[in-house]
Structures are given as structure tokens and as C-alpha cells.
Amino acid sequence: GDSVTQMEGPVTLSEEAFLTINCTYTATGYPSLFWYVQYPGEGLQLLLKATKADDKGSNKGFEATYRKETTSFHLEKGSVQVSDSAVYFCALILRDTGTASKLTFGTGTRLQVTL
Amino acid sequence: KAGVTQTPRYLIKTRGQQVTLSCSPISGHRSVSWYQQTPGQGLQFLFEYFSETQRNKGNFPGRFSGRQFSNSRSEMNVSTLELGDSALYLCASSLIPGPVNYGYTFGSGTRLTVV
């Protein structure tokens, strides 16, 4: 079946450090890829997306590139802030399932940024 | 415009009872999906509704059910509650099913605790 694998957390960084959260996927079809962020006590917020190979999604300084050859969608940010502390989820949805669809999520990676 | 509204935010129930959770999607969105989030299993898909019809169902027992009304609002019901049903239940809405190009918008969730 379809699956998403994320690096284990927690990831602890100092403010202004470079962030990478790895995400790889296995899909029977052709997926669109997403990163969602969850702040404490909240639901999920869409951070960025990419719908085809080589697309780069970006938002709020975060970036991720859809790499079909390595089935990866790693999240990066050049300089993290304390306010980026949250749990990050990589997810996919298949494009070719007709009308039946669902998001498949990774296990989430907790990021803690300290001063 | 208003986001996805889930009520109630918090709920405490006793084993064996039943519970109904409500979700109002973004105005104009016609597809509603439900997800269960637990520390052990992560985010798991429950079901998806569109035009009052269940279009997709996850791997959950029959105690979990849902419905969608003509105004696109959705409810999910869990009967004969078990301790393992304690979770954050998230509702997500989209214009149409299978939003491969822009993902889903999530609500803040209902935190269900079964005692």
C-alpha cells in the first residue's frame, strides 16, 4: 500500500539554524505531495505542496522539491525561528484514484527551536 | 471567510457510551473527510463524504459511522466507546473530493477522552 516515511524526531535546533526534515514515499500511483504543520493544541495547517515531479513548493521560508527519482519530498528552511516549533507531517494523495481519495500521512516530526 | 468549524472542542465520555461530533466545512466546500489522530497510530483516515454520499472509508470498525447533510455539514458517530477511541478527531474540507492540487483545509479538531 501507499506509505510515507519521515525522519524520527524530535529535532532540536538553535534559532537561525538550517532545517531539513526528510520524507520519502511509496505510492502505487502518481501522488501529489504535501507538508502540513500542527502547532500545540491545533489542527493541521497546509504548509506547502507539489503536484508533479520537479515542482518546488514554498511558503514562509520553507521549501520542498518533489523528487520522483528518489521518491522524496524533504522539507528545508534556511533559518528557523522559535515560532517554527511544531510537528511537521509529510503526506500524499494519489492523483489517479478517480473519486475515492484520502491523505496518507507520515508519523510526524517534532521540531523544537531554542534561543 | 470562516474556516472549518468542529464542535465540541473537548469531550469526555464513559466506556460504552456513544458520541457524535460535528463539522461545518468552509462555505462552498462540498467534500468532508474525517481523520483520527492518536500518539500510537498517528493520523488515520476514517471516511470521506461528498454530496451526502460516503465515497471512501478507512479501516475502522462499524462502530464508527458518519453522514453528511445537504448543507455539507457532517457528523461522525462512535458507538459503544472503548478506551482506545480516545483521540483527536480532525475534520477536513475541500471543494471537491480528491483535491490533488491544493490539499485539504483542516479544523482544530475535537479531543475525545474515553474514561
Short mmCIF file of all heavy atoms in Angstrom, two decimals, chain A residues 50-95:
data_model
loop_
_atom_site.label_atom_id
_atom_site.label_comp_id
_atom_site.label_asym_id
_atom_site.label_seq_id
_atom_site.Cartn_x
_atom_site.Cartn_y
_atom_site.Cartn_z
N ALA A 50 3.28 20.16 -3.69
CA ALA A 50 3.83 19.99 -5.04
C ALA A 50 3.03 18.91 -5.72
O ALA A 50 2.76 17.86 -5.12
CB ALA A 50 5.31 19.61 -4.97
N THR A 51 2.64 19.15 -6.94
CA THR A 51 1.71 18.23 -7.60
C THR A 51 2.35 17.41 -8.70
O THR A 51 1.72 16.47 -9.20
CB THR A 51 0.52 19.00 -8.18
OG1 THR A 51 1.01 19.98 -9.10
CG2 THR A 51 -0.27 19.69 -7.08
N LYS A 52 3.58 17.71 -9.10
CA LYS A 52 4.23 16.88 -10.11
C LYS A 52 5.73 16.92 -9.91
O LYS A 52 6.28 17.78 -9.21
CB LYS A 52 3.86 17.34 -11.51
CG LYS A 52 4.26 18.75 -11.86
CD LYS A 52 3.77 19.09 -13.27
CE LYS A 52 4.30 20.44 -13.73
NZ LYS A 52 3.81 21.56 -12.91
N ALA A 53 6.39 15.96 -10.56
CA ALA A 53 7.83 15.81 -10.41
C ALA A 53 8.57 17.11 -10.73
O ALA A 53 8.21 17.82 -11.67
CB ALA A 53 8.33 14.68 -11.30
N ASP A 54 9.57 17.40 -9.89
CA ASP A 54 10.43 18.58 -10.01
C ASP A 54 9.76 19.88 -9.57
O ASP A 54 10.41 20.92 -9.57
CB ASP A 54 11.00 18.74 -11.42
CG ASP A 54 11.84 17.55 -11.83
OD1 ASP A 54 12.53 16.98 -10.97
OD2 ASP A 54 11.78 17.17 -13.02
N ASP A 55 8.50 19.83 -9.19
CA ASP A 55 7.84 21.02 -8.63
C ASP A 55 8.51 21.36 -7.31
O ASP A 55 8.86 20.47 -6.52
CB ASP A 55 6.36 20.73 -8.35
CG ASP A 55 5.47 21.16 -9.49
OD1 ASP A 55 5.98 21.66 -10.50
OD2 ASP A 55 4.23 21.00 -9.34
N LYS A 56 8.63 22.64 -7.03
CA LYS A 56 9.10 23.09 -5.73
C LYS A 56 7.98 23.85 -5.05
O LYS A 56 7.47 24.84 -5.58
CB LYS A 56 10.32 24.00 -5.86
CG LYS A 56 10.80 24.56 -4.51
CD LYS A 56 11.95 25.53 -4.65
CE LYS A 56 13.26 24.81 -4.87
NZ LYS A 56 14.43 25.74 -4.80
N GLY A 57 7.57 23.37 -3.86
CA GLY A 57 6.60 24.10 -3.06
C GLY A 57 7.34 24.99 -2.08
O GLY A 57 8.42 24.62 -1.59
N SER A 58 6.77 26.15 -1.80
CA SER A 58 7.43 27.05 -0.85
C SER A 58 6.39 27.91 -0.15
O SER A 58 5.35 28.26 -0.71
CB SER A 58 8.44 27.94 -1.55
OG SER A 58 7.81 28.76 -2.51
N ASN A 59 6.71 28.24 1.11
CA ASN A 59 5.81 29.06 1.91
C ASN A 59 6.52 29.43 3.21
O ASN A 59 7.14 28.57 3.84
CB ASN A 59 4.51 28.31 2.22
CG ASN A 59 3.49 29.16 2.95
OD1 ASN A 59 3.48 30.37 2.82
ND2 ASN A 59 2.63 28.52 3.71
N LYS A 60 6.46 30.66 3.62
CA LYS A 60 7.00 31.14 4.90
C LYS A 60 8.46 30.76 5.08
O LYS A 60 8.90 30.48 6.20
CB LYS A 60 6.18 30.58 6.07
CG LYS A 60 4.71 30.97 6.05
CD LYS A 60 3.97 30.38 7.23
CE LYS A 60 2.50 30.73 7.18
NZ LYS A 60 1.74 30.17 8.31
N GLY A 61 9.23 30.70 4.02
CA GLY A 61 10.64 30.36 4.10
C GLY A 61 10.93 28.87 4.02
O GLY A 61 12.08 28.47 3.90
N PHE A 62 9.89 28.06 4.06
CA PHE A 62 10.04 26.61 3.91
C PHE A 62 9.99 26.25 2.44
O PHE A 62 9.24 26.86 1.68
CB PHE A 62 8.93 25.87 4.65
CG PHE A 62 9.01 25.95 6.15
CD1 PHE A 62 8.38 26.98 6.83
CD2 PHE A 62 9.71 25.00 6.88
CE1 PHE A 62 8.44 27.07 8.21
CE2 PHE A 62 9.78 25.07 8.26
CZ PHE A 62 9.13 26.10 8.93
N GLU A 63 10.76 25.21 2.07
CA GLU A 63 10.75 24.73 0.70
C GLU A 63 10.82 23.21 0.68
O GLU A 63 11.37 22.60 1.61
CB GLU A 63 11.97 25.26 -0.09
CG GLU A 63 11.99 26.73 -0.32
CD GLU A 63 13.19 27.14 -1.17
OE1 GLU A 63 14.17 26.38 -1.23
OE2 GLU A 63 13.13 28.23 -1.76
N ALA A 64 10.27 22.62 -0.38
CA ALA A 64 10.40 21.18 -0.59
C ALA A 64 10.27 20.92 -2.09
O ALA A 64 9.42 21.52 -2.75
CB ALA A 64 9.35 20.40 0.18
N THR A 65 11.11 20.03 -2.61
CA THR A 65 11.10 19.71 -4.04
C THR A 65 10.67 18.27 -4.23
O THR A 65 11.19 17.36 -3.58
CB THR A 65 12.47 19.94 -4.67
OG1 THR A 65 12.85 21.30 -4.48
CG2 THR A 65 12.45 19.62 -6.16
N TYR A 66 9.74 18.05 -5.13
CA TYR A 66 9.20 16.73 -5.47
C TYR A 66 10.24 16.01 -6.33
O TYR A 66 10.46 16.35 -7.49
CB TYR A 66 7.91 16.96 -6.25
CG TYR A 66 7.05 15.75 -6.56
CD1 TYR A 66 5.67 15.90 -6.55
CD2 TYR A 66 7.58 14.51 -6.92
CE1 TYR A 66 4.83 14.84 -6.87
CE2 TYR A 66 6.75 13.47 -7.23
CZ TYR A 66 5.38 13.62 -7.21
OH TYR A 66 4.55 12.58 -7.53
N ARG A 67 10.89 14.99 -5.76
CA ARG A 67 11.92 14.24 -6.48
C ARG A 67 11.38 12.84 -6.77
O ARG A 67 11.36 11.97 -5.91
CB ARG A 67 13.19 14.11 -5.63
CG ARG A 67 13.81 15.43 -5.24
CD ARG A 67 14.45 16.13 -6.40
NE ARG A 67 15.21 17.31 -5.99
CZ ARG A 67 15.58 18.27 -6.82
NH1 ARG A 67 15.25 18.20 -8.11
NH2 ARG A 67 16.29 19.30 -6.37
N LYS A 68 10.95 12.65 -8.01
CA LYS A 68 10.36 11.36 -8.37
C LYS A 68 11.42 10.26 -8.40
O LYS A 68 11.16 9.12 -8.02
CB LYS A 68 9.68 11.48 -9.73
CG LYS A 68 8.84 10.28 -10.12
CD LYS A 68 8.13 10.50 -11.44
CE LYS A 68 7.30 9.28 -11.84
NZ LYS A 68 6.67 9.47 -13.17
N GLU A 69 12.64 10.60 -8.83
CA GLU A 69 13.67 9.57 -8.98
C GLU A 69 14.09 8.98 -7.63
O GLU A 69 14.49 7.82 -7.57
CB GLU A 69 14.88 10.14 -9.72
CG GLU A 69 15.60 11.29 -9.02
CD GLU A 69 14.96 12.65 -9.28
OE1 GLU A 69 13.84 12.71 -9.81
OE2 GLU A 69 15.62 13.66 -8.91
N THR A 70 14.00 9.79 -6.57
CA THR A 70 14.35 9.30 -5.23
C THR A 70 13.11 9.16 -4.34
O THR A 70 13.24 8.85 -3.16
CB THR A 70 15.33 10.26 -4.54
OG1 THR A 70 14.78 11.58 -4.53
CG2 THR A 70 16.67 10.26 -5.26
N THR A 71 11.94 9.35 -4.91
CA THR A 71 10.66 9.32 -4.18
C THR A 71 10.76 10.07 -2.86
O THR A 71 10.46 9.54 -1.78
CB THR A 71 10.14 7.88 -3.96
OG1 THR A 71 11.07 7.15 -3.16
CG2 THR A 71 9.92 7.17 -5.27
N SER A 72 11.19 11.31 -2.95
CA SER A 72 11.41 12.10 -1.74
C SER A 72 10.78 13.49 -1.85
O SER A 72 10.50 13.99 -2.96
CB SER A 72 12.91 12.25 -1.46
OG SER A 72 13.53 12.99 -2.49
N PHE A 73 10.56 14.09 -0.68
CA PHE A 73 9.96 15.43 -0.60
C PHE A 73 10.45 16.07 0.70
O PHE A 73 9.70 16.34 1.61
CB PHE A 73 8.43 15.30 -0.64
CG PHE A 73 7.70 16.60 -0.86
CD1 PHE A 73 7.99 17.42 -1.94
CD2 PHE A 73 6.67 16.99 -0.01
CE1 PHE A 73 7.30 18.61 -2.17
CE2 PHE A 73 5.96 18.17 -0.23
CZ PHE A 73 6.28 18.97 -1.31
N HIS A 74 11.74 16.30 0.77
CA HIS A 74 12.37 16.78 2.00
C HIS A 74 12.03 18.25 2.27
O HIS A 74 12.08 19.08 1.36
CB HIS A 74 13.88 16.63 1.93
CG HIS A 74 14.35 15.23 1.64
ND1 HIS A 74 13.72 14.11 2.17
CD2 HIS A 74 15.35 14.77 0.85
CE1 HIS A 74 14.33 13.03 1.74
NE2 HIS A 74 15.32 13.39 0.94
N LEU A 75 11.74 18.56 3.51
CA LEU A 75 11.39 19.93 3.90
C LEU A 75 12.66 20.65 4.38
O LEU A 75 13.43 20.10 5.17
CB LEU A 75 10.35 19.91 5.03
CG LEU A 75 9.85 21.26 5.52
CD1 LEU A 75 9.02 21.95 4.44
CD2 LEU A 75 9.03 21.10 6.80
N GLU A 76 12.85 21.88 3.91
CA GLU A 76 14.02 22.66 4.30
C GLU A 76 13.63 24.09 4.64
O GLU A 76 12.67 24.63 4.09
CB GLU A 76 15.06 22.68 3.16
CG GLU A 76 15.63 21.33 2.82
CD GLU A 76 16.66 21.41 1.71
OE1 GLU A 76 16.60 22.37 0.91
OE2 GLU A 76 17.52 20.52 1.64
N LYS A 77 14.43 24.68 5.55
CA LYS A 77 14.30 26.11 5.83
C LYS A 77 15.67 26.61 6.20
O LYS A 77 16.38 25.98 7.00
CB LYS A 77 13.31 26.38 6.96
CG LYS A 77 13.05 27.88 7.16
CD LYS A 77 12.00 28.17 8.21
CE LYS A 77 11.72 29.68 8.24
NZ LYS A 77 10.73 30.05 9.29
N GLY A 78 16.03 27.74 5.66
CA GLY A 78 17.39 28.24 5.83
C GLY A 78 17.69 28.76 7.22
O GLY A 78 18.83 28.67 7.69
N SER A 79 16.68 29.30 7.91
CA SER A 79 16.93 29.91 9.21
C SER A 79 15.65 29.78 10.04
O SER A 79 14.68 30.50 9.80
CB SER A 79 17.30 31.38 9.03
OG SER A 79 17.45 32.02 10.28
N VAL A 80 15.67 28.85 10.98
CA VAL A 80 14.44 28.61 11.75
C VAL A 80 14.29 29.62 12.89
O VAL A 80 15.28 30.19 13.38
CB VAL A 80 14.41 27.17 12.32
CG1 VAL A 80 14.32 26.16 11.20
CG2 VAL A 80 15.62 26.91 13.22
N GLN A 81 13.05 29.80 13.29
CA GLN A 81 12.72 30.69 14.40
C GLN A 81 12.03 29.89 15.49
O GLN A 81 11.49 28.81 15.23
CB GLN A 81 11.78 31.81 13.90
CG GLN A 81 12.31 32.58 12.72
CD GLN A 81 13.62 33.29 13.05
OE1 GLN A 81 13.73 33.95 14.09
NE2 GLN A 81 14.62 33.14 12.18
N VAL A 82 12.02 30.45 16.69
CA VAL A 82 11.35 29.78 17.81
C VAL A 82 9.89 29.48 17.45
O VAL A 82 9.34 28.44 17.80
CB VAL A 82 11.46 30.62 19.09
CG1 VAL A 82 10.58 30.02 20.19
CG2 VAL A 82 12.91 30.71 19.56
N SER A 83 9.27 30.39 16.71
CA SER A 83 7.87 30.23 16.35
C SER A 83 7.62 29.08 15.37
O SER A 83 6.47 28.71 15.12
CB SER A 83 7.33 31.52 15.72
OG SER A 83 8.11 31.88 14.60
N ASP A 84 8.68 28.50 14.82
CA ASP A 84 8.54 27.33 13.93
C ASP A 84 8.40 26.03 14.71
O ASP A 84 8.17 24.97 14.12
CB ASP A 84 9.75 27.23 12.99
CG ASP A 84 9.83 28.37 12.02
OD1 ASP A 84 8.77 28.88 11.59
OD2 ASP A 84 10.97 28.77 11.67
N SER A 85 8.55 26.08 16.01
CA SER A 85 8.42 24.88 16.84
C SER A 85 7.02 24.32 16.68
O SER A 85 6.02 24.99 16.96
CB SER A 85 8.70 25.21 18.31
OG SER A 85 10.02 25.68 18.48
N ALA A 86 6.94 23.07 16.23
CA ALA A 86 5.66 22.44 15.91
C ALA A 86 5.95 21.00 15.46
O ALA A 86 7.10 20.57 15.45
CB ALA A 86 4.95 23.20 14.80
N VAL A 87 4.89 20.30 15.09
CA VAL A 87 5.04 18.97 14.50
C VAL A 87 4.75 19.09 13.01
O VAL A 87 3.73 19.69 12.62
CB VAL A 87 4.10 17.95 15.15
CG1 VAL A 87 4.31 16.57 14.51
CG2 VAL A 87 4.36 17.87 16.65
N TYR A 88 5.61 18.52 12.19
CA TYR A 88 5.51 18.61 10.74
C TYR A 88 5.17 17.24 10.17
O TYR A 88 5.82 16.23 10.50
CB TYR A 88 6.81 19.15 10.15
CG TYR A 88 7.06 20.59 10.53
CD1 TYR A 88 7.58 20.91 11.77
CD2 TYR A 88 6.71 21.63 9.67
CE1 TYR A 88 7.77 22.23 12.16
CE2 TYR A 88 6.90 22.96 10.04
CZ TYR A 88 7.42 23.24 11.29
OH TYR A 88 7.60 24.56 11.66
N PHE A 89 4.16 17.22 9.31
CA PHE A 89 3.69 15.98 8.69
C PHE A 89 3.85 16.05 7.18
O PHE A 89 3.38 16.99 6.54
CB PHE A 89 2.21 15.73 9.00
CG PHE A 89 1.92 15.44 10.43
CD1 PHE A 89 1.61 16.47 11.31
CD2 PHE A 89 1.93 14.14 10.91
CE1 PHE A 89 1.33 16.21 12.64
CE2 PHE A 89 1.66 13.87 12.23
CZ PHE A 89 1.35 14.90 13.11
N CYS A 90 4.47 15.02 6.64
CA CYS A 90 4.52 14.83 5.19
C CYS A 90 3.33 13.97 4.80
O CYS A 90 2.96 13.04 5.54
CB CYS A 90 5.84 14.16 4.83
SG CYS A 90 6.16 13.97 3.08
N ALA A 91 2.72 14.25 3.66
CA ALA A 91 1.53 13.50 3.27
C ALA A 91 1.44 13.40 1.76
O ALA A 91 2.00 14.23 1.03
CB ALA A 91 0.27 14.17 3.82
N LEU A 92 0.73 12.40 1.30
CA LEU A 92 0.50 12.25 -0.13
C LEU A 92 -0.97 11.95 -0.40
O LEU A 92 -1.69 11.45 0.45
CB LEU A 92 1.38 11.16 -0.73
CG LEU A 92 1.16 9.69 -0.36
CD1 LEU A 92 0.02 9.05 -1.17
CD2 LEU A 92 2.44 8.89 -0.61
N ILE A 93 -1.38 12.29 -1.60
CA ILE A 93 -2.70 11.89 -2.10
C ILE A 93 -2.49 11.47 -3.54
O ILE A 93 -1.77 12.12 -4.29
CB ILE A 93 -3.72 13.04 -1.96
CG1 ILE A 93 -5.13 12.55 -2.30
CG2 ILE A 93 -3.36 14.23 -2.81
CD1 ILE A 93 -6.21 13.54 -1.90
N LEU A 94 -3.11 10.34 -3.91
CA LEU A 94 -2.92 9.83 -5.26
C LEU A 94 -3.79 10.60 -6.24
O LEU A 94 -4.92 10.97 -5.96
CB LEU A 94 -3.26 8.34 -5.32
CG LEU A 94 -2.33 7.42 -4.54
CD1 LEU A 94 -2.75 5.97 -4.75
CD2 LEU A 94 -0.88 7.61 -4.99
N ARG A 95 -3.24 10.81 -7.43
CA ARG A 95 -3.94 11.59 -8.44
C ARG A 95 -4.86 10.75 -9.31
O ARG A 95 -5.73 11.26 -9.98
CB ARG A 95 -2.94 12.27 -9.35
CG ARG A 95 -2.01 13.22 -8.64
CD ARG A 95 -1.03 13.81 -9.63
NE ARG A 95 -1.69 14.62 -10.63
CZ ARG A 95 -2.00 15.90 -10.49
NH1 ARG A 95 -1.71 16.52 -9.37
NH2 ARG A 95 -2.60 16.57 -11.45
#
